[in-house]
């Protein structure tokens, strides 16, 4: 009975409101549905992708290093500009040598960064060491800028005793706790929701999380989850997409339709920037703005850096099977980020042919020496294989290890035991 | 201590030289045509696609690029965009699309670049593909094949080197095959494509380039192997070695070495992990009175655990002279370093040593 009464009361209330609104003549201009804030229309029509103006590509320099709008030239100290240029060049030399070492069978795998140097260095220069970086795998320049030495790179690729990863990961799966760079993980895009989780944890600390990913990785479901959650949870994270045109052999027109990766940002309610990824100054400016905004507002930003993967996908790939050498050569000669930056530095009187020659010679020497030192180092102690499966070594793993120790006592001569640390 | 039971032996025992086992010798049948596992899989796909136009392939890089490991070589040229489809990098997405296509009557072959990446899609495989026939009370079947390389490759570390045999074999609704050589690969994949139920086909990257003899029968386009039947690769009377995929080769090499010492090992190639051919194993044990399972996967809840448990529940148990053993991959994620990688997987010397211990011979 009680139920019936209250129900009829509710009805009364409802009808009263209803009749009052219908009687009012002033029209409701805004729909009130909770699902979208927008206007009404009485026109039946599609919203077509073609009605949408694609997000423009922000740049600072033209292809020859001229500043296009003086107000956009970042005020970066000369020594920083030179460090940026130097790291871009060193990255290049290191790639050449480590790529070759894979070809010679000295390491099992390698991935080069050719053509994408400006996305790494421009963004890294706009961040601080406090900021947390999640990479995909083609971001060696970011790590280099943050202070990972040539020896650190080589040691990881060799998995030797000085490798911070203790020889547990494939080459190029770098990581450094000191440099706030999360160890690379092979399964694509898993880093994106993780980055949002970290940003959630770091909210309000004036730090930002930067998460790099490729145009191909953006197709994984995790990318959707990451973008959506970052917006709803309001996390200070910068999603940095390196759109280099290909995911192994898959060109972007088979990867997605619509206005690239940037186009998605807006629909997630995320402030978005699209930038010339071959223009290191432009990348610097967008990352700086993104960080300021993300930290101040506790909100995510999406950056899409347009670039081109000049090298093969990895040492397991031969890209001539799916793209023309002419296409590659065109990017390598006419819009190479390092070259563009060099023109700029030359115009400022900061660089010249002699310095270039000196830098290349010195770098080659440095890489080669890191390389030969790294190659000679012992592998981590072989019992490392049983470490770090769990925080505390459980009995069954200890048993495996101990039986291996016993076994090696007997049959030492059959194992390359001397190549491992004692 | 109980006199009968199981004792886990990991792969650490065993004397012998640490040989590089990257190059394989195979038994060569004089006159038989040699074919790589890759080509055998390719011809299975080709034959089934020309036999039934409902069959199509989708996955990352399968079309123009011919597949990450070139298993689909030439098929895109021959069958075109409609039947060989490159997908964006969304395993969950294309596994779902393939599952939906199968629910609507097509026969998709869904290639994963490796089964490591199928982890992204495992909900579609298990909660949808494997269970839909049951959940729809038999009204909607899902004739789909999920295939790709499984298990440890070479120098690709923990996230690219695991065996999913027992993961999938655990699930009702799925069938799971794990071919060893070229005949297996062709016959099992063709059977999988024709099967009305979802089948997981676990290939091995390191075997793709290895050549094996193909009988005339196996070369024919009618050749299919029954799912659920094991094969005795080598008869013997002293000990039964049961394995699947690459571990079959480990056992055959061990058996060869043991033969030199007068021990005749019977090597059973499982071929199928679900259903598992308990009869063939048990019959063999009745004959040899000794059993060792060998696999590259981890020990806990592994294929070996299943084999030993089933044996325990059968009459054949009373024919064992010694507790059966499991030889498995080491119970840690795969190390990257090549020499440790080799040591983390069962090698022929480990099998030889385990057999000698089981038979109590020096
Ligand atoms: C879940 C998952 N699926 C597939 C792969 C294999 N894979 C490695 S890199 C890659 C292409 C990624 O392309 P993109 O994100 O565009 O980055 P880019 O290599 O161009 O820098 C693929 C498919 C993987 N590592 N993980």
């Amino acid at each position: 009975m009680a139920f019936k009464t209250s129900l009829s009361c509710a009805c009364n209330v409802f009808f009263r409101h209803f009749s009052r609104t219908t009687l009012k003549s002033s029209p409701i201009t805004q729909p009130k549905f909770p699902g979208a804030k927008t206007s009404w229309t009485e026109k039946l029509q599609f919203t077509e992708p073609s009605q949408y103006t694609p997000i423009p590509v922000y740049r600072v320099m033209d292809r020859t290093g001229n500043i296009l709008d003086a107000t956009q030239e970042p005020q970066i100290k000369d020594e920083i500009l030179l460090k940026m240029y130097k790291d871009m060049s060193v990255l290049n030399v290191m790639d050449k040598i480590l790529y070759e070492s894979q070809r010679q069978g000295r390491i099992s795998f390698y991935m080069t960064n050719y053509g994408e140097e400006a996305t790494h260095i421009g963004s890294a220069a706009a961040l601080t060491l406090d900021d947390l970086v999640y990479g995909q795998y083609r971001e060696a320049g970011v790590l280099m800028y943050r202070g990972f030495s040539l020896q650190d790179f080589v040691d990881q690729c060799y998995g030797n005793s000085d490798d911070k990863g203790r020889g547990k990961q494939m080459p190029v799966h770098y990581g450094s706790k000191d440099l706030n760079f999360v160890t690379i993980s092979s399964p694509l895009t898993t880093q994106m929701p993780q980055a949002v989780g970290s940003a959630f944890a770091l909210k309000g600390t004036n730090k930002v999380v930067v998460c790099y990913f490729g145009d191909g990785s953006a197709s994984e479901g995790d990318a959707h989850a990451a973008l959506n959650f970052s917006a709803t949870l309001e996390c200070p994270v910068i999603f940095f997409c390196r759109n280099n045109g290909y995911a192994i052999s898959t060109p972007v027109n088979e990867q997605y339709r619509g206005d690239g990766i940037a186009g998605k940002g807006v629909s997630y309610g995320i402030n978005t920037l699209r930038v010339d990824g071959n223009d290191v100054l432009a990348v610097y400016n967008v990352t700086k703005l993104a960080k300021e905004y993300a930290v101040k507002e506790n909100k995510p930003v999406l950056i899409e850096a347009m670039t081109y993967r000049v090298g093969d996908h990895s040492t397991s790939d031969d890209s001539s099977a799916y793209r023309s050498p002419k296409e590659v050569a065109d990017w390598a000669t006419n819009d190479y980020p390092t070259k563009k930056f060099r023109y700029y530095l030359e115009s400022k009187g900061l660089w010249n042919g002699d310095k270039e020659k000196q830098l290349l010679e010195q770098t080659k020497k440095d890489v080669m020496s890191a390389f030969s030192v790294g190659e000679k180092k012992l592998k981590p102690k072989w019992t490392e294989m049983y470490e770090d499966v769990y925080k505390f070594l459980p009995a069954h793993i200890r048993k495996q290890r101990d039986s291996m120790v016993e076994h090696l006592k007997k049959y030492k001569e059959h194992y390359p035991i001397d190549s491992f640390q004692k | 201590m109980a006199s009968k039971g199981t004792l886990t032996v990991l792969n650490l025992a065993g004397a012998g030289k640490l040989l590089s086992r990257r190059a394989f010798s195979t038994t060569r049948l004089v006159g038989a045509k040699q074919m790589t596992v890759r080509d055998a899989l390719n011809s299975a796909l080709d034959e089934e696609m020309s036999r039934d136009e409902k069959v199509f392939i989708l996955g990352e890089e399968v079309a123009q690029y011919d597949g990450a490991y070139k298993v689909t070589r030439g098929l895109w040229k021959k069958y075109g965009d409609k039947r060989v489809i490159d997908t964006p990098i969304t395993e969950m997405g294309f596994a779902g699309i393939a599952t939906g296509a199968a629910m609507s009557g097509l026969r998709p072959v869904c290639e994963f670049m490796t089964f490591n990446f199928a982890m992204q899609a495992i909900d579609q495989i298990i909660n949808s593909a494997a269970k839909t026939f049951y959940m729809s009370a038999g009204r909607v079947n899902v004739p789909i094949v999920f295939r790709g390389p499984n298990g440890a490759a070479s120098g690709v570390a923990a996230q690219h080197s695991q065996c999913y045999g027992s993961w999938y074999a655990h699930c009702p609704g799925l069938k799971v095959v794990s071919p060893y050589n070229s005949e297996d690969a062709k016959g099992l994949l063709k059977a999988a494509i024709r099967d009305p139920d979802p089948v997981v086909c676990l290939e091995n990257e390191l075997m793709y380039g290895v050549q094996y003899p193909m009988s005339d029968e196996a070369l024919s386009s009618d050749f299919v192997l029954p799912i659920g039947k094991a094969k005795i690769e080598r008869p013997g009377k002293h000990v039964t070695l049961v394995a699947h995929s690459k571990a079959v080769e480990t056992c055959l090499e061990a058996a060869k070495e043991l033969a030199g010492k007068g021990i005749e090992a019977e090597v059973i190639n499982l071929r199928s992990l679900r259903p598992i051919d308990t009869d063939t194993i048990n019959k063999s044990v009745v004959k040899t009175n000794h059993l060792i399972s060998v696999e590259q996967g981890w020990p806990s809840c592994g294929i070996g655990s299943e084999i030993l448990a089933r044996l325990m529940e059968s009459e054949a148990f009373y024919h064992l002279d010694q507790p059966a053993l499991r030889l498995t991959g080491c119970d840690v994620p795969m190390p990257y370093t090549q020499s440790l990688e080799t040591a983390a997987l069962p090698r022929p010397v480990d099998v030889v040593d385990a057999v000698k211990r089981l038979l109590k011979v020096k």
Side-chain angles (χ1 to χ4, degrees), chain A residues 1 36 41 97 112 122 154 190 224 253 269-271 324 334 342 346 354 388:
Chain A
M1 262 324 181
T41 178
I97 291 173
T112 62
V154 170
T190 49
H224 162 71
N253 66 347
I270 296 178
N271 274 13
S324 72
N334 299 327
R342 183 180 158 187
E346 283 175 351
D354 278 352
D388 301 334

Side-chain angles (χ1 to χ4, degrees), chain A residues 186 219-220 249 317 396 407, chain B residues 12 14 61 65 90-91 159 331:
Chain A
S186 304
S219 293
E220 291 282 11
S249 79
D317 177 40
H396 79 281
H407 173 74
Chain B
L12 305 172
E61 316 264 318
Y65 200 57
T90 321
E91 290 79 8
Q159 290 174 323
D331 198 16

Side-chain angles (χ1 to χ4, degrees), chain B residues 1-35:
Chain B
M1 244 197 103
S3 63
K4 303 254 175 178
T6 57
L7 169 72
T8 308
V9 165
L10 295 165
N11 58 318
L12 305 172
K17 288 192 186 95
L18 184 82
L19 295 175
S20 159
R21 302 266 174 191
R22 304 270 186 230
F24 311 110
S25 62
T26 54
T27 5
R28 289 180 202 266
L29 293 186
V30 192
K33 188 176 152 54
Q34 299 283 318
M35 191 184 267

